[in-house]
Amino acid sequence: NRYLDFFGGILTTMTAHALPEVTRAVTDQARRVLHTSTLYLNRPMVELAEKVAGLSGIPDARVFFTTSGTEANDTALLLASAYRRSNQVLAMRNSYHGRSFSTVGITGNAAWSPTSLSPLQTLYVHGSVRSRGPFAGLPDGEFIDACVADLRDLLDQTGGGVAALIAEPIQGVGGFTSGPDGLFAAFREVLNERGILWISDEVQTGWGRTGEHFWGWQAHGAAGPPDMLTFAKGIGNGMSIGGVVARAEVMNCLDANSISTFGGSPVTMAAGQANLGYLLEHDLQGNARRVGALLMERLREAAAGVDFVREVRGRGLMIGIELVAPGTDEPSP
C-alpha cells in the first residue's frame, strides 16, 4: 500500500520520509560518536545552534537543545520564572504546550489537561480563537483592542510580577486557530511596560510551515521579536530535537546546573543540520505558501454548501477543517 501523509508524522516529518540527505548525515555521524548530551560541546551542536540563532531574529541569541517541544517549553518556563522570580504565567485560552506537569499546567484546552495541579499560577488571555468567544463579531482592529483591554484588566488584578506570556502564533492542537496579525505585537507593548517576557511557542509554526513567514511570530513582529522562542518537531524530520532560543541575559540567568541528557546529541544534530539545509536550499517555505494557497482554495470550494463544515482555516501548510453537527456551531467528533 502507498499512503499520502497529510499529517506529516504529527508535523515532524517536515521534508520527506527517509530523506536521503538526512539519512546520510545520520549514518555518517553514527559511525563516529552516537551520544554525548548537552553536558559536552560537540561540533554538530555548535554549528546547528549558530544557524538557528541566526535565523531566530532574536538579538544576542543563545540556544539550548532538548529532545521535544514539551521539554523546550519546560525549559522556557524555567528560564522565565528564574529570570523574573515569579511563577505567574500568562497563556492563551484553547492553547496546548505539551504533556509534562508544567506544560499541562499552562495548557488552556481541557481535552489535553488531565490534572488541575500545577507548579505555576496560570492566567488565561483572550485572542487566539478568532471566530468564537465574546469578541468574535468584532472587526480585526476592534478585536485586538478588546483583547489588549482584557490583558490590561487581567494584569491589574494580579498580585505581583508576571513572568511571561507563552503563546502559539497559530494554535495547533487547538484547531489551527489564530487571532489577527499584529495581536501579539499589541500584547508586547503592554508586556514591555511591565517587564514581562514573551515566549513564542514555534513547535508547530516554525521553519516556514506558515508560508508567509519563517516563524509564526513574524506576523506579529511590529513590536520586535520575542524574548524566547521554542522549537521542535519539523527540524529533526522525525529525529527527536527540540530547543529554546533566548536573549543571552535570559538564557544565562540560571544559577544552578541544568543539562539535557539526550539534548544536543551529535546524531540528532547532524540530522537537524541536513534537514534545515535542505529546507533552505529548496525554498520549502515558498512551497508551503504556494501549495498551501492552492490547497486552501480547493478545500473551500469543496466545502462550500456542505452543512457539516463550519470553517476551512489556516496558513501555508497549516490548514484545518472544522466539522460541526450539520447546520449548527456545535463541534462534531
Side-chain angles (χ1 to χ4, degrees):
N1 295 330
R2 299 181 67 195
Y3 298 91
L4 182 59
D5 182 2
F6 274 107
F7 205 12
I10 318 183
L11 286 81
T12 57
T13 311
M14 183 167 64
T15 47
H17 290 276
L19 185 72
E21 288 83 350
V22 173
T23 302
R24 186 163 50 249
V26 167
T27 302
D28 290 346
Q29 180 57 52
R31 291 193 184 104
R32 299 187 187 96
V33 177
L34 203 63
H35 172 260
T36 57
S37 86
T38 63
L39 186 58
Y40 307 105
L41 287 178
N42 63 72
R43 179 61 57 187
M45 177 165 57
V46 172
E47 291 176 348
L48 183 57
E50 289 174 343
K51 290 177 183 176
V52 172
L55 291 164
S56 71
I58 295 176
D60 195 21
R62 300 291 185 272
V63 179
F64 181 82
F65 287 110
T66 66
T67 59
S68 68
T70 291
E71 192 188 350
N73 285 332
D74 259 341
T75 303
L77 293 169
L78 172 65
L79 289 168
S81 59
Y83 182 79
R84 291 279 291 159
R85 300 297 176 190
S86 168
N87 73 333
Q88 291 184 317
V89 175
L90 300 174
M92 304 304 295
R93 298 183 184 190
N94 197 50
S95 59
Y96 174 80
H97 296 289
R99 58 164 300 280
S100 66
F101 190 43
S102 67
T103 54
V104 163
I106 61 166
T107 288
N109 188 314
W112 294 85
S113 298
T115 177
S116 61
L117 297 174
S118 175
L120 302 167
Q121 180 185 0
T122 307
L123 306 165
Y124 291 102
V125 182
H126 279 294
S128 284
V129 182
R130 182 67 186 88
S131 61
R132 291 185 184 274
F135 307 144
L138 298 175
D140 284 352
E142 293 180 21
F143 180 93
I144 291 175
D145 289 345
C147 292
V148 168
D150 174 70
L151 173 61
R152 286 190 182 278
D153 181 66
L154 186 65
L155 290 173
D156 287 342
Q157 297 180 49
T158 60
V162 171
L165 165 69
I166 185 168
E168 304 155 274
I170 299 175
Q171 292 186 334
V173 167
F176 292 175
T177 60
S178 63
D181 287 359
L183 173 69
F184 293 113
F187 279 0
R188 185 68 190 278
E189 293 181 8
V190 178
L191 302 179
N192 284 344
E193 293 170 7
R194 305 176 188 235
I196 299 169
L197 302 176
W198 173 26
I199 304 167
S200 185
D201 180 342
E202 302 275 357
V203 170
Q204 296 194 36
T205 50
W207 318 113
R209 186 182 296 277
T210 68
E212 294 177 17
H213 303 287
F214 195 77
W215 304 105
W217 72 260
Q218 290 168 323
H220 310 269
D227 299 288
M228 286 186 266
L229 68 81
T230 58
F231 62 86
K233 290 193 181 288
I235 180 61
N237 207 45
M239 300 291 281
S240 297
I241 304 177
V244 181
V245 189
R247 291 189 290 110
E249 63 176 314
V250 177
M251 186 68 81
N252 295 335
C253 76
L254 297 185
D255 56 6
N257 295 324
S258 188
I259 68 166
S260 175
T261 299
F262 293 102
S265 284
V267 171
T268 58
M269 298 292 97
Q273 278 206 70
N275 196 43
L276 182 58
Y278 184 93
L279 176 139
L280 295 171
E281 290 164 15
H282 293 80
D283 188 25
L284 295 194
Q285 178 183 337
N287 178 73
R289 183 176 62 252
R290 293 185 296 272
V291 176
L294 178 62
L295 182 57
M296 184 84 79
E297 177 186 342
R298 297 290 178 85
L299 285 170
R300 283 176 172 161
E301 288 176 2
V306 178
D307 62 359
F308 58 82
V309 175
R310 181 176 183 269
E311 189 176 18
V312 177
R313 59 174 176 260
R315 184 169 297 195
L317 285 174
M318 274 192 82
I319 298 173
I321 304 169
E322 182 177 350
L323 306 181
V324 292
T328 74
D329 275 350
E330 293 301 312
S332 172

